[in-house]
Amino acid sequence: MRSRSSICGGRSTRCQASVACFIIIAVVLATFLYFRFRHHAPPLSAIHKRRVSMRGCDGNIEVYAQDFVVLHYAKHVHGDHFAVPCSGPLPWYRFIYQWGRPSPLQTWIQHLHAYQPSIAESNKAKHATDSVYVIQRIEAHNLYHTLCEWMNVFIVSQILKLNTSNVDIMFIDDRPYNSLESVWRTLFGNVYSHNATDKGIVHRRIVWNMIGYISPANNHDLPELPYIEEFQTFVLDAYGIKKRYHIDCKNVQVSIIYRRDYITHPERITKMKGLVQRKFRNELEILSSVKVAIPLSTVTTLVLEEMSMREQLSVMANTDILIGMHGAGLTHVLFVPDHAVLFELFPNHHSQEIYKHFRTFSKWRFLKYIMWQNDNDALEFDDLSTYVPPEVIIEKCRYIRRYLCS
Ligand SMILES: *[C@@H]1O[C@H](CO)[C@@H](O)[C@H](O)[C@H]1NC(C)=O
Ligand SMILES: *[C@@H]1O[C@H](CO)[C@@H](O)[C@H](O)[C@H]1NC(C)=O
């Protein structure tokens, strides 16, 4: 081992002082980096400012930049009208357009009423329920967009230090029933519609949450997605599902998602004649090509609409290779094991710049991502399906098998 005198040549105390100084700086820097990254601290760009940017009504209103608003001891009046204890005038705040539409938070703050704080005081003790998130769903039937909404509840709960499993959800929209509603009920506390609230109740905390489109999960330019691993654990735990940690190369688990024309999608049934885009023309040929490329495998084909979320997640948590055409079902790449590979396929004329949702999810999870896009119009069909040449499947799947198993 080198002694200190050999570093300094045994000459000056000034040199020894600068070595000591260097060591102190290194220790301080290492400590800073340790605390900065220990919790995988989310980048500030994700939730733009995770601090209150405006406070009103004696602290009963807290606005977090453009992202969300917290009301304390507030009541639901009707529709998107709420009342907050306030002795002075109600504050004003400008929420910007995002994703080409006005923020619902702008309407909600315009519809905000004040009520006498003295009444609030007497109510606090008696009627306060805990935290409720007010949510305007947009594409409530779509797994990707709905997951962005779940993620928003999760991230905001981390910021407000709330137990996500316990928070209540109030839908402020009139979306028709869809199968994802049961997932909301599994993940969170009470889930109800704005027309079914007890108007007398004072809520300890009401969170007006951001819409799904402005979720960090929908911001594909972010270098990382805050809390991505914690969110995965949260969802799998809610369903009691254990993630697999090792691949068995003598029995590789491959899952192929098949897309079906719309069943549960209220708008599309009329607007697009119920046809879903990006289907495989030759499902059976694709299945047998996967088996040719990876003989030691179990290949599961999935029509997600026919499965419960518990069934979907238990397949995903055990999938080594997930294969599918670009579509909301590939959102499940968030729930596959850490070693898994995503193989995503695209029809012709699909811009890689726009359709980068799942490439980005894979990047955020450090998963291997493989892509193929058709460039031959003769392989596209009127029912919006694409013929995928078997040699494409065989070549890509052989590559993936080598990547995973050699
Ligand atoms: C959060 O709430 C759930 C459901 O009530 C409970 O099982 C869990 O222990 C709570 N977690 C923490 C950290 O308090
Ligand atoms: C409340 O709204 C939901 C969704 O629009 C609807 O299904 C339900 O019937 C309504 N309930 C009442 C009591 O009006």
Side-chain angles (χ1 to χ4, degrees):
M1 212 175 92
R2 285 175 139 218
S3 73
R4 195 171 35 161
S5 65
S6 74
I7 296 173
C8 291
R11 282 192 298 268
S12 77
T13 50
R14 182 187 283 176
C15 171
Q16 289 180 2
S18 68
V19 168
C21 189
F22 172 79
I23 290 170
I24 289 168
I25 289 170
V27 167
V28 168
L29 191 65
T31 312
F32 168 77
L33 290 175
Y34 173 74
F35 282 107
R36 168 67 180 74
F37 292 109
R38 188 181 49 160
H39 298 300
H40 304 288
L44 281 181
S45 58
I47 298 285
H48 308 291
K49 282 204 180 86
R50 296 178 306 129
R51 267 180 250 110
V52 175
S53 53
M54 191 272 278
R55 229 180 272 276
C57 295
D58 310 317
N60 288 321
I61 303 178
E62 294 169 329
V63 179
Y64 286 72
Q66 294 295 320
D67 299 322
F68 61 96
V69 175
V70 179
L71 306 178
H72 294 283
Y73 300 106
K75 297 196 259 194
H76 180 226
V77 179
H78 63 83
D80 60 4
H81 292 243
F82 294 84
V84 69
C86 201
S87 45
L90 285 163
W92 169 252
Y93 196 85
R94 178 95 186 89
F95 291 96
I96 56 172
Y97 265 59
Q98 281 167 318
W99 286 81
R101 48 180 86 213
S103 167
L105 303 184
Q106 190 71 64
T107 316
W108 300 349
I109 207 161
Q110 274 164 340
H111 290 173
L112 191 60
H113 307 236
Y115 74 95
Q116 278 306 312
S118 57
I119 300 174
E121 276 310 315
S122 67
N123 281 342
K124 267 182 195 175
K126 278 183 280 176
H127 301 296
T129 67
D130 224 40
S131 304
V132 55
Y133 281 72
V134 175
I135 291 175
Q136 178 169 309
R137 294 169 299 171
I138 304 212
E139 302 192 37
H141 50 271
N142 177 297
L143 178 62
Y144 172 80
H145 290 290
T146 306
L147 178 127
C148 289
E149 289 158 354
W150 300 331
M151 189 87 207
N152 288 350
V153 175
F154 188 82
I155 293 177
V156 172
S157 297
Q158 302 297 309
I159 293 169
L160 298 177
K161 300 191 173 20
L162 303 175
N163 181 342
T164 318
S165 313
N166 281 339
V167 301
D168 291 346
I169 305 290
M170 182 195 300
F171 293 136
I172 211 79
D173 53 66
D174 285 305
R175 303 296 310 170
Y177 176 82
N178 69 81
S179 57
L180 294 176
E181 278 185 30
S182 72
V183 185
W184 287 93
R185 288 176 215 286
T186 305
L187 297 181
F188 308 110
N190 299 313
V191 178
Y192 48 85
S193 168
H194 65 91
N195 61 2
T197 60
D198 179 344
K199 311 295 182 223
I201 282 187
V202 173
H203 299 274
R204 204 179 295 283
R205 200 184 284 102
I206 291 183
V207 182
W208 288 345
N209 214 4
M210 54 190 152
I211 58 170
Y213 289 150
I214 61 167
S215 173
N218 199 33
N219 181 353
H220 304 145
D221 295 329
L222 288 181
E224 60 184 277
L225 180 62
Y227 302 111
I228 185 168
E229 294 301 322
E230 291 88 342
F231 178 73
Q232 181 198 58
T233 306
F234 165 70
V235 173
L236 293 180
D237 282 356
Y239 281 92
I241 292 169
K242 294 257 175 294
K243 186 168 74 163
R244 205 150 44 76
Y245 285 92
H246 301 287
I247 183 170
D248 175 3
C249 284
K250 296 200 175 62
N251 185 12
V252 177
Q253 302 297 312
V254 186
S255 302
I256 309 177
I257 296 179
Y258 289 162
R259 285 163 62 80
R260 291 285 177 266
D261 289 333
Y262 292 113
I263 308 167
T264 55
H265 199 315
E267 288 85 10
R268 303 281 168 91
I269 283 172
T270 46
K271 275 192 201 153
M272 310 197 21
K273 300 202 192 91
L275 286 184
V276 80
Q277 302 181 65
R278 302 183 301 265
K279 293 182 294 263
F280 291 133
R281 181 78 178 173
N282 51 332
E283 290 176 346
L284 290 179
E285 200 173 22
I286 290 169
L287 170 61
S288 52
S289 305
V290 172
K291 287 181 173 161
V292 167
I294 315 174
L296 301 178
S297 64
T298 303
V299 187
T300 310
T301 61
L302 312 167
V303 176
L304 297 177
E305 294 88 331
E306 294 169 357
M307 302 167 70
S308 70
M309 185 54 69
R310 184 182 305 279
E311 290 165 337
Q312 296 178 34
L313 289 170
S314 34
V315 171
M316 294 304 162
N318 282 292
T319 290
D320 302 312
I321 305 173
L322 179 60
I323 301 176
M325 278 270 198
H326 176 85
L330 293 185
T331 303
H332 276 302
V333 73
L334 282 189
F335 304 112
V336 297
D338 300 346
H339 61 260
V341 174
L342 173 61
F343 176 17
E344 183 177 29
L345 297 95
F346 294 89
N348 212 352
H349 312 299
H350 268 62
S351 152
Q352 294 303 311
E353 202 29 53
I354 295 173
Y355 294 93
K356 60 183 178 183
H357 313 64
F358 310 114
R359 178 161 39 113
T360 307
F361 278 17
S362 307
K363 186 186 80 182
W364 285 335
R365 289 208 55 211
F366 306 104
L367 302 181
K368 182 86 172 165
Y369 174 82
I370 303 289
M371 191 275 279
W372 176 80
Q373 177 162 25
N374 178 33
D375 58 6
N376 176 358
D377 275 339
L379 301 183
E380 302 292 345
F381 290 81
D382 286 346
D383 66 348
L384 309 181
S385 67
T386 305
Y387 179 85
V388 184
E391 54 275 17
V392 165
I393 299 290
I394 292 175
E395 186 221 313
K396 298 285 188 193
C397 286
R398 282 200 172 129
Y399 173 82
I400 296 169
R401 188 201 57 193
R402 279 198 303 277
Y403 170 80
L404 284 172
C405 287
S406 61

